[in-house]
Amino acid sequence: LDANWIENMNSVMDDNRLLTLASNERIRLLTHMRMIFEIRDLAFASPATVTRAGILFISELSQWKNFVQSWIEAFTENESGAIKADMRKKRADMLHSLFDKYCDATLDVLRREFKPVVPILDFNMIQTLCYFLEGLLVEENVGRDDSKFEIYFVLAAVWAFGSFFTITSGTDYRKKFSAWWKETWKTIKFPHRGEVFDFFVDKDKGEFAAWADIVPTIEYNSATPMAAVTVPTGETVAITFWLDNLMPRKHPAML
């Protein structure tokens, strides 16, 4: 938000809906027109600009903890009526303990030692974690108690905190994150070989299994151009899994 630019925009955003250019030319914002502001910071924004543009400011001062609190409350309220009240409370307490255990320490290390390909807010990572959990902590996966909560939480956490890393300035931060996670968190252990992103939770066995084990086979017809054929891999299976997790709940994803 440039100070001079936004000053000229104020009359557009108020009831006048009129833009006056330096040439004194006037352009009216018609009733069917809308303006969308996607900004980096509020360094030059006045209170009037913030209110007129409807800008939502999310503080990085552990604001995500308030989101987690409200998300857990909503998650508990929406649980199946077959789950008794005391078990609902126990499951909610388990979620609180898991967020306390993993999130603060992980976010602190990410800020100090890792470099994402694009800047990502702590709030966004926690929000992504919660959205992943909505699709994982279902009765089909975890039953009606909390015994499997942590393994599914860990699966969601490694993707929420580490999936956006890649090779930056010659450093493979994705591999570095995988090594750090394995070394730091020992309660739920990933298989020794491979990275943490190579595995999912087998709901029947309640343990990690490789994405490569469930890659579908394809039948290739030589009459089909190779450019038109998509060959499934462990990575495409993983991405499809998370898209299928998010889309039914109308949560967006950026690939």
Side-chain angles (χ1 to χ4, degrees):
L1 286 176
D2 178 81
N4 295 326
W5 174 84
I6 201 62
E7 184 65 30
N8 295 329
M9 294 295 294
N10 281 338
S11 61
V12 181
M13 296 187 291
D14 63 19
D15 293 338
N16 294 319
R17 301 172 67 86
L18 190 67
L19 174 62
T20 301
L21 302 180
S23 62
N24 287 327
E25 181 182 358
R26 289 173 171 80
I27 301 176
R28 185 169 297 280
L29 188 70
L30 302 181
T31 55
H32 67 276
M33 297 178 179
R34 296 292 183 269
M35 300 181 69
I36 298 176
F37 291 84
E38 185 175 357
I39 61 176
R40 183 180 61 192
D41 57 53
L42 300 176
F44 299 102
S46 67
T49 300
V50 173
T51 54
R52 286 170 178 168
I55 296 171
L56 177 64
F57 174 69
I58 299 176
S59 170
E60 277 291 89
L61 300 177
S62 298
Q63 184 70 23
W64 61 265
K65 293 184 178 179
N66 296 327
F67 176 82
V68 167
Q69 176 66 37
S70 62
W71 180 83
I72 293 177
E73 291 175 0
F75 175 84
T76 303
E77 290 176 3
N78 295 329
E79 286 200 287
S80 169
I83 301 176
K84 296 181 179 180
D86 58 339
M87 180 51 68
R88 288 191 184 192
K89 184 179 184 306
K90 184 180 179 184
R91 286 156 67 103
D93 291 342
M94 170 61 81
L95 283 173
H96 278 294
S97 67
L98 291 173
F99 277 101
D100 290 342
K101 176 180 178 180
Y102 288 98
C103 293
D104 272 321
T106 301
L107 291 172
D108 181 59
V109 169
L110 294 187
R111 282 191 294 269
R112 291 185 290 105
E113 301 182 15
F114 290 82
K115 185 178 181 180
V117 64
V118 293
I120 297 182
L121 298 177
D122 293 355
F123 190 97
N124 180 257
M125 288 184 277
I126 297 298
Q127 187 180 53
T128 301
L129 172 57
C130 291
Y131 290 164
F132 282 164
L133 291 174
E134 287 178 13
L136 294 176
L137 301 182
V138 294
E139 188 171 336
E140 180 184 356
N141 291 338
V142 300
R144 297 180 181 176
D145 59 18
D146 62 351
S147 60
K148 295 182 180 179
F149 267 35
E150 187 163 8
I151 190 170
Y152 279 102
F153 188 96
V154 166
L155 174 66
V158 297
W159 282 86
F161 292 131
S163 61
F164 49 82
F165 287 123
T166 184
I167 299 176
T168 305
S169 301
T171 301
D172 190 339
Y173 285 103
R174 190 178 176 95
K175 183 178 293 186
K176 180 179 177 180
F177 175 84
S178 176
W180 174 82
W181 187 278
K182 287 184 177 182
E183 180 64 27
T184 304
W185 307 113
K186 301 296 182 81
T187 307
I188 301 295
K189 294 184 178 180
F190 281 90
H192 179 69
R193 290 187 177 181
E195 299 178 1
V196 294
F197 306 105
D198 296 334
F199 303 95
F200 69 101
V201 177
D202 186 321
K203 63 183 179 182
D204 296 323
K205 298 179 180 179
E207 59 186 34
F208 288 117
W211 294 110
D213 294 341
I214 58 171
V215 173
T217 57
I218 60 171
E219 295 182 3
Y220 174 65
N221 186 335
S222 58
T224 304
M226 283 300 297
V229 177
T230 300
V231 179
T233 64
E235 186 172 359
T236 63
V237 170
I239 292 173
T240 302
F241 172 86
W242 290 116
L243 289 177
D244 290 342
N245 175 292
L246 295 171
M247 294 299 121
R249 294 164 183 81
K250 299 182 179 180
H251 296 313
M254 182 175 70
L255 301 179

